[in-house]
Amino acid sequence: MSTVKLTVNGRAVSVDVEDRTLLVHLLRENLNLTGTHVGCDTSQCGACVVHVDGRAVKSCTMLAGQAAGSNVTTIEGLAKGGELHPMQAAFRDNHGLQCGYCTPGMIMSAVDIVHRHGGKLDEETVRHELEGNICRCTGYHNIVKAVLDAAGRMKVAQAAE
Amino acid sequence: MYETNYHRASSVPDAAATFAKGKESKFLAGGQTLLPVMKQRLAAPSDVIDLSKIQEMIGIEVSGDTVTIKAATPHYDVAQSEAVQKAIPALANLASMIGDPAVRYRGTIGGSLANNDPAADYPAAVLALGATIKTNKRAIAAGDFFKGLFSTALEDGEIITAVAFPVPAKAGYAKMRHPASRFALTGVFVARTKAGDVSAAATGASQSGVMRVPAIEQALKANWSPGALDSVTISANGLLADIHGSAEYRANLVKVMGQRAVAAAG
Amino acid sequence: MGVEGIGASVVRKEDRRFITGQGRYVDDVKMVGMSYAHFIRSPHAHAKVKGIDSAEAMKMPGVIAVLTGQQIVDDKVGNLICGWAITSKDGSPMKMGAWPAMAPETVRFVGQAVAVVIAETKNQARDAAEAVVVDYEELSAVADVKAAIKPGAAQLHPEAPGNVVYDWHLGDEAAVKDAFGKAANVVTLELTNNRLVPNAMEPRAAVAHYDQAEEHFTLYTTSQNPHVARLVLSAFYNIAPENKLRVIAPDVGGGFGSKIYIYPEEMVALWASKKVGRPVKWTGDRTEAFLTDAHGRDHVSKAEMAFDKDNKILGLRVKTYANFGAYMSLFSSAVPTYLYATLLSGQYVIPAIYAEVMGVYTNTTPVDAYRGAGRPEASYLLERMMETAARQLKVDPAELRKKNFITQFPYQTPVIMAYDIGDFNASIDAAMKAIDYAGFPARKAKAKADGKLRGIGVSCYIEACGIAPSKAVGSLGAGVGLWESAEIRVNPVGTIEVLTGTHSHGQGHETSFAQIISDRLGVPLSQVSIVHGDTDKVQFGMGTYGSRSIAVGGAAIVKAMEKVEAKAKKIAAHALEASESDIVIENGEFKVTGTDKSIALPMVALAAYTAHNLPDGMEPGLKETAFYDPTNFTFPAGAYICELEVDPGTGKTSFVNFVAADDFGRLINPMIVEGQVHGGLAQGIGQALLEGAVYDGTGQLVTASFMDYTMPRADDLPSFKLSHTTTLCPGNPLGVKGCGEAGAIGASAAVINAITDAIGNNKLEMPATPDRVWHAIHG
């Protein structure tokens, strides 16, 4: 057992967990942040993607201890003050989700994709960049549309800041 | 996962000392291979020693004709590095094709090489470029480092600290991705040194891990062009075969990826 | 149509919770005192269980109990059932092997549970499971359907000699023989329909709670049909009477058929929760999903089609071997029979059809309905046949189809189905136009000059959805009726709750169903809530599968609405002192036609509940229920055309274009319908190019994780070009047909037809991996 201290969605937390605890389990079981999901056991599906120190990583492939001292953002921390993040809004407006299970990881990865590529995204790049996130419902068609749409919205939002 | 003891090492000597204390210690770099294996309960280290926060193990240096990538540098940082893109663009390109974006943020060159998965990308570059693997104990030439599937020249407790790549005149990497795992079904890295020596290494193809491909090297030494490989035949003997690719198919891929790697190298 | 009514692409009401991480799935449920289950599963495909020693495990930290198959049998928990009785050619009933929830004596597939550990934490349960020693005596195993029926093959069940579940047939054998006798040409095709693993992204899970004082169970489960689950758990598995068992299917992360069935894990969780006196949670991991979720497809078939000298089809003969795995899952028996052979007429006039289907046990995971269920297998066989025939007869594949299309409706096929309506020329014309079919030869020539092999493939599918009527399916062996219920509660302040027996696990019912109400009453969607997935709230319903929710469930809502409106009109007429027949409903108001007199819905509702001034003899309240039993199946149909390129060096396929022209009747929410098509196409393309469950000769699943089983990723798929042609379904009040499975039914043949066209070699099985395509090109 170890005490792991980290910041989650802007809040400092301290949690006692077994050393074998994965970050995703710390989030789901200890902090009740159940928006982050587990869809596989081979680190491929991406349902568990969160941001650790600004980078989109698979929280099922990281020990809680590895995240000690880090800043973690989960899907629950993305909307600011009740206002949807442009990526969340774009997923809704473009019907980029059906069952919703892969959606949190998909959105967290997508935000990271836009951060890395800025407004220079095209369909091919988005499809390639989504290779670490599996969706069984949408055929990705509307997810790709949503990411491209959000890239535009995020550019506008950034310009406004 | 079995219960384990997690340690975050502050320095290379600290990591080595902590490793020695554990009953069955393992180093943890990016964890993108070790943690999935531990999750499946296929590995049960008593202690895992996290190398990823050791500052002296992170970063990229270019001096003269050498690119040195420190062992805990994530793939993403290698792919994005302007210095690497300028000196050995094929290496940056290879790093940008490993796993998926989330894996590239966490996975490291040192972890990839120490694990020596037969379908990993980095071993092909290390072998073809004739890189030197630097550890906390010595320097190991690429040709002496890889010892078959998941096996290397590393001794118990030895830590890769950096990999030094000589800058080639030309180099290229082409990879046919495994459709499910996204490892290399077969990947080929070709390089030509400034002295005119040619080397080619294939990953994902052989039953004994990354391998040099003499037939491709000879053909390219005579004529550095994709067309030079048209008449090359790769034997299927000793190549991997599974539901995603027969040995014959992989033999074909060694040649075709070789051609595409040369085309990419220019 | 209002802005939120039928035909409007309204964004989904349910999305906000999903995009903010507030969805509530089964694994998110926590209960006070909750314990965790971990199953001990057979590593062998076929073995005797000689003994289970849990002494060491019981000493491990946190362990509450280790429960075995013998205990569940001793407690008289019923064996798993198959709900559709199929009768063989010779009149004998299908042969059912016993399937206990945990195996007391014999395991018949890798992953079958033999015992369960209940512990304080998930990790403790898994740690202890490794200390349970199971003594197995390995038996010989068989995984391949053809191998299983050979003499000397390993035998699975004493009840089923030769591993044959049934040997069934449909159609007129003599008429087909006659047709082949007259044929100018006969085309023969042998093919495999590859086994698939559904892989909904949310693994199955269950949380079971037993209230000792009330002798009442609550089960949270990942189900597409919680009421059917309760019925089966109660009536057949003896868990508890229905009034003592509440089943809740909250947010469910995809189903695709795999969450229809009541699995051993839910049964065990319920039983164990009483046994240990604690709530029990089980959450499957992906490996368990691969090993225990019912798989789909897995047919080996031979088909022959007879043509006259004008290339008109004279007859079709099909022989299919269906691999059922080790046990007969809940609806498995119906899939390769009444959901498959009945669709073998496709979109074509085929005067005579004869199909034989042999269902076979093997030492593999049980197989049941997966998106499309039987209809993809029929469509793939027929559309590969049409393409093969066109090539053999040297005619254009689209023209051959058009020549043989059914154009007069209603049309009675020789295999039970009576198609009510359709326009197959309209959909193929739309698809051909969308892809510029005429311009293809030039594009192919240009690709060839660039060193690429380009191909085009057509697939014209028809499916039977909204499976019904209950009387008909009952006569064919179904153990349940396939109607649907709806209850509409207009609250005293005029908001509306619609309770439906269907279940949404991605389909967007909370929006589409609300649109039906909004359309009829002219009230905003925000005033309408859809309630589903809880047996304590919804009285009864059959759930969601077979593209039935809008065609059957939606029709039930309309029926209930008609009753609500009739009563509301009476109240309005009374209040407005007008004749009931003069009342019309517009924009949430009840108006007296031709006057300016009106009363708003909330006032009508309030009047119904205050009951101060109702027409004489009227009961208070405004709540109505309807049960809707369809009069026929619905028949969505369409045409898909795929254009692609093959890299001859690697065998890798790249899409150039994929067009779909579907006829789903009326669309309630076109955005949601298109999303359903996209997802179906991805699964059909996945089957064609990527996915396949592979067993080795000993019954080990080689593809038991995402490392080996290829799930479609974003960069494996194209953007799709969709269009719709419309013939309204005459059989239900909405004119709808259903859209959930179409893509998965029609897509795979289009892809394989295109690849075989590109490489000029018809011998190619699914999944057409680069390795297989390269071998097909290079021999």
Side-chain angles (χ1 to χ4, degrees), chain C residues 276-292:
Chain C
V276 303
R278 298 268 298 270
V280 172
K281 176 187 268 190
W282 169 76
T283 305
D285 60 27
R286 183 56 56 188
T287 305
E288 288 179 296
F290 271 100
L291 294 176
T292 68

Side-chain angles (χ1 to χ4, degrees), chain C residues 559-634:
Chain C
K559 291 274 173 199
M561 271 307 292
E562 285 169 355
K563 294 186 192 176
V564 166
E565 288 165 10
K567 184 168 181 182
K569 280 182 179 176
K570 282 196 174 75
I571 297 169
H574 182 71
L576 297 170
E577 295 176 339
S579 163
E580 191 188 324
S581 58
D582 289 339
I583 303 290
V584 293
I585 307 173
E586 277 172 24
N587 301 324
E589 304 220 321
F590 291 74
K591 295 182 175 165
V592 182
T593 188
T595 74
D596 59 357
K597 288 206 289 183
S598 73
I599 178 170
L601 174 65
M603 298 312 293
V604 173
L606 196 61
Y609 286 94
T610 57
H612 295 164
N613 183 19
L614 290 177
D616 284 346
M618 180 182 275
E619 289 179 12
L622 194 50
K623 184 190 101 165
E624 297 290 346
T625 298
F627 287 72
Y628 174 76
D629 199 1
T631 53
N632 191 1
F633 290 81
T634 63

Side-chain angles (χ1 to χ4, degrees), chain C residues 148 153 156 200 252 282 325 345 394 531 658 664 704 746 755:
Chain C
L156 272 82
V252 172
W282 169 76
S345 196
K394 302 202 183 332
V531 178
F658 197 108
F664 298 131
I755 299 176

Side-chain angles (χ1 to χ4, degrees), chain B residues 2 41 244 246 249 252 260, chain C residues 127 130 647 649-650 708 775:
Chain B
Y2 296 105
R41 299 195 169 212
H244 296 286
S246 65
Y249 179 63
N252 167 68
R260 291 179 189 183
Chain C
D127 289 346
E130 293 188 8
D647 175 347
T650 61
D708 295 299
H775 278 286

Side-chain angles (χ1 to χ4, degrees), chain C residues 121 125 181 188 285 324 341 368 414 483 500 502-503 538 554 660 662 702 752 767 769:
Chain C
T121 73
T188 303
D285 60 27
F324 280 127
D368 206 327
W483 45 266
T500 171
T502 66
H503 183 272
V538 179
D662 295 291
V702 177
I752 299 298
T769 59

Side-chain angles (χ1 to χ4, degrees), chain C residues 150-165:
Chain C
K150 285 198 177 126
Q155 297 292 300
L156 272 82
H157 298 283
E159 299 89 345
N163 295 322
V164 175
V165 181

Side-chain angles (χ1 to χ4, degrees), chain B residues 1-2 39-41 176-183 242-246 248-249 252-253 256-257 260, chain C residues 123 126-127 130 287 647 649-652 694 702-703 706-710 713 715-716 770-771 774-775:
Chain B
M1 185 180 300
Y2 296 105
K39 278 159 64 178
Q40 299 279 340
R41 299 195 169 212
M176 181 74 180
R177 289 181 310 180
H178 184 292
S181 74
R182 303 273 157 148
F183 273 81
D242 55 36
I243 58 167
H244 296 286
S246 65
E248 295 73 28
Y249 179 63
N252 167 68
L253 284 182
V256 173
M257 291 301 121
R260 291 179 189 183
Chain C
N123 274 329
R126 189 162 177 188
D127 289 346
E130 293 188 8
T287 305
D647 175 347
T650 61
K652 191 168 166 37
V694 177
V702 177
T703 51
F706 291 157
M707 291 293 280
D708 295 299
Y709 185 93
T710 310
R713 312 288 222 287
D715 60 356
D716 292 318
D771 172 58
W774 182 80
H775 278 286

Side-chain angles (χ1 to χ4, degrees), chain A residues 43-125:
Chain A
S43 306
Q44 284 166 301
C45 80
C48 65
V49 169
V50 300
H51 293 176
V52 175
D53 297 327
R55 291 183 164 192
V57 302
K58 292 182 174 173
S59 63
C60 78
T61 312
M62 191 167 178
L63 294 171
Q66 288 176 285
S70 290
N71 243 308
V72 176
T73 305
T74 71
I75 188 72
E76 290 92 342
L78 203 56
K80 295 281 179 256
E83 188 167 336
L84 294 177
H85 184 280
M87 189 62 73
Q88 292 171 312
F91 266 67
R92 181 194 58 196
D93 295 349
N94 290 281
H95 190 29
L97 64 148
Q98 289 180 25
C99 82
Y101 197 78
C102 77
T103 309
M106 201 63 85
I107 287 176
M108 298 310 281
S109 289
V111 169
D112 184 77
I113 291 168
V114 176
H115 283 161
R116 279 187 283 115
H117 290 271
K120 289 178 291 183
L121 278 173
D122 56 17
E123 179 184 335
E124 192 185 341
T125 307

